């Protein structure tokens, strides 16, 4: 028996596969200040290694676990964010976040709930990490590398502008 090429049969098979794929599509939920988000103006977004979503807003840092929001804001006490305007969020290693605010850079350890503050990095910064989770910050015409054992940054002078580094990266 000889079979004839039937494009209609292939089309229906393709449509059937497509429909089963679409059925398993993503489920999106909109978060606003009515749901507990500290501010609806989101400046930065990061998903951590556990799948939690982190939102940097104009009024604090928000962690969303799929059900509830936890809000981190600056307070008068220690172990707090340096500012309320969150400009960027970067997870370096599991549970360690680098958070740039309008008043400086923060290192947040999610497991220990400990916040370290680096006053020298307020303003325009570009923060990156490599494959080994080493942190580098470019500010003005200097490059800074984080030294975990000392909990400080080491400065290296370079002759590039901030915009040149952004163009390269």
């Amino acid at each position: 028996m000889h079979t004839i090429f039937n494009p209609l049969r292939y089309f229906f098979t393709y449509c059937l596969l497509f429909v089963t794929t679409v059925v398993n599509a993503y489920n999106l939920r909109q978060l606003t200040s009515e749901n507990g988000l500290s501010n609806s103006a989101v400046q930065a977004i990061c998903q951590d290694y556990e799948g939690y979503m982190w939102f940097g807003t104009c009024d604090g840092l928000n962690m969303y676990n799929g059900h509830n929001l936890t809000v981190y804001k600056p307070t008068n006490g220690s172990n707090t964010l340096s500012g309320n305007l969150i400009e960027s969020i970067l997870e370096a290693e599991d549970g360690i976040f680098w958070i740039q605010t309008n008043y400086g850079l923060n290192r947040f350890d999610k497991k220990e709930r400990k916040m370290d503050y680096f006053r020298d990095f307020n303003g325009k910064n570009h923060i990156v990490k490599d494959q080994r989770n080493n942190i580098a910050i470019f500010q003005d015409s200097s490059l800074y590398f984080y030294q975990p054992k000392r909990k400080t940054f080491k400065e290296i002078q370079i002759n590039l502008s901030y915009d040149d580094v952004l163009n390269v990266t």
Side-chain angles (χ1 to χ4, degrees):
M1 178 169 164
H2 158 325
T3 57
I4 300 173
F5 176 71
N6 187 348
L8 196 55
R9 181 170 64 179
Y10 288 104
F11 175 74
F12 284 124
T13 304
Y14 175 76
C15 288
L16 182 63
L17 289 173
F18 180 74
V19 168
T20 59
T21 305
V22 171
V23 170
N24 295 324
Y26 293 101
N27 182 9
L28 298 176
R29 179 179 297 161
Q30 182 177 359
L31 297 174
T32 65
S33 53
E34 292 175 4
N35 306 101
L37 197 65
S38 63
N39 190 294
S40 293
V42 176
Q43 303 289 319
I45 300 174
C46 177
Q47 183 174 16
D48 70 17
Y49 76 103
E50 293 180 306
Y52 294 172
M53 296 298 299
W54 294 78
F55 303 100
T57 71
C58 290
D59 192 23
L61 178 67
N62 301 258
M63 182 191 71
Y64 181 62
N65 64 8
H67 303 287
N68 301 311
L69 278 160
T70 303
V71 178
Y72 301 91
K73 289 186 177 185
T75 61
N76 293 333
S78 62
N79 199 33
T80 185
L81 282 168
S82 58
N84 63 328
L85 178 64
I86 310 301
E87 297 171 353
S88 67
I89 307 165
L90 174 73
E91 183 179 25
E93 48 193 284
D94 294 348
I96 304 295
F97 295 89
W98 291 92
I99 303 151
Q100 181 70 49
T101 74
N102 53 331
Y103 288 108
L105 181 67
N106 298 270
R107 179 186 180 273
F108 178 60
D109 186 330
K110 180 174 132 180
K111 296 170 191 163
E112 295 183 19
R113 299 279 187 231
K114 186 173 186 307
M115 189 83 64
D116 295 318
Y117 173 47
F118 299 91
R119 287 180 177 82
D120 298 335
F121 298 104
N122 58 358
K124 207 174 187 185
N125 299 315
H126 185 66
I127 184 167
V128 294
K129 71 173 183 168
D130 66 11
Q131 295 88 356
R132 289 181 243 146
N133 292 319
N134 295 314
I135 296 297
I137 297 177
F138 184 75
Q139 181 186 48
D140 299 325
S141 61
S142 295
L143 188 61
Y144 299 86
F145 289 97
Y146 182 66
Q147 299 175 317
K149 291 180 182 175
R150 294 183 181 170
K151 293 190 176 187
T152 61
F153 283 88
K154 181 179 180 180
E155 179 181 6
I156 298 173
Q157 293 289 327
I158 57 175
N159 291 325
L160 291 172
S161 72
Y162 182 83
D163 293 329
D164 291 337
V165 170
L166 288 181
N167 289 334
V168 170
T169 57

